[in-house]
Amino acid sequence: MIAEAIEASKALVKAVPLLGGSTSTADYKSALELIDYLFEHDDENPLIEFLSAKIESYERQHADFAPFNQAVENLPRGVEALRQLMKDYGLKQSELREEIGGKSLVSQILSGKRSLTVEHIRALAVRFNVPTSLFID
């Protein structure tokens, strides 16, 4: 069993070099194509978790992503981050219904009369693909 696992992992790294720590842009792009395929055709494949982690690591460390990563780090926190994201995406208050609720609730949050809840923060993080910590003051 151990020998089979070792051979299988070697074969997998040969097929998907990013899993073995490759820093090649071509290998990164191939991994993106593979994960897209898996999401579309085999969304419960355990390879998705491994690829996701390696892709995230590549994007955190590769120089091509440094400006984007820096911009995300420099985003304002909490409600200010929400305001900025709304501006960046050209969103109106009514377009956050699924993440926060009605336009009046969004307005109260933006004006500081109400606070973002944990559920709001999680939903916003998913929508904008940012860490939840971005919305915590």
Side-chain angles (χ1 to χ4, degrees):
M1 176 173 103
I2 292 173
E4 287 179 33
I6 291 170
E7 288 306 310
S9 68
K10 287 179 182 178
L12 185 57
V13 168
K14 185 176 180 181
V16 187
L18 193 72
L19 291 174
S22 171
T23 58
S24 157
T25 301
D27 292 340
Y28 164 74
K29 288 180 180 180
S30 293
L32 287 176
E33 289 175 21
L34 176 55
I35 202 167
D36 285 344
Y37 178 88
L38 290 172
F39 275 127
E40 195 168 313
H41 296 96
D42 189 8
D43 65 350
E44 294 189 21
N45 190 309
L47 185 55
I48 291 172
E49 285 185 56
F50 301 128
L51 279 171
S52 295
K54 287 296 187 172
I55 288 169
E56 181 182 343
S57 175
Y58 179 94
E59 290 173 347
R60 236 187 359 260
Q61 297 172 6
H62 200 275
D64 289 349
F65 292 92
F68 173 79
N69 293 334
Q70 187 63 44
V72 168
E73 285 182 31
N74 290 336
L75 282 173
R77 299 287 186 222
V79 173
E80 289 305 314
L82 178 57
R83 275 196 191 96
Q84 186 62 47
L85 287 165
M86 289 175 67
K87 180 180 172 187
D88 291 348
Y89 285 84
L91 297 175
K92 298 176 184 167
Q93 293 177 6
S94 60
E95 294 176 280
L96 294 174
R97 175 174 292 281
E98 291 194 26
E99 293 79 15
I100 296 178
K103 183 178 175 182
S104 65
L105 180 56
V106 175
S107 178
Q108 290 175 357
I109 289 170
L110 292 174
S111 69
K113 293 178 183 172
R114 303 263 317 252
S115 298
L116 289 168
T117 67
V118 172
E119 291 80 19
H120 296 152
I121 291 169
R122 286 183 183 143
L124 290 166
V126 168
R127 176 170 188 164
F128 295 112
N129 193 29
V130 296
T132 55
S133 61
L134 184 66
F135 299 105
I136 300 170
D137 293 323

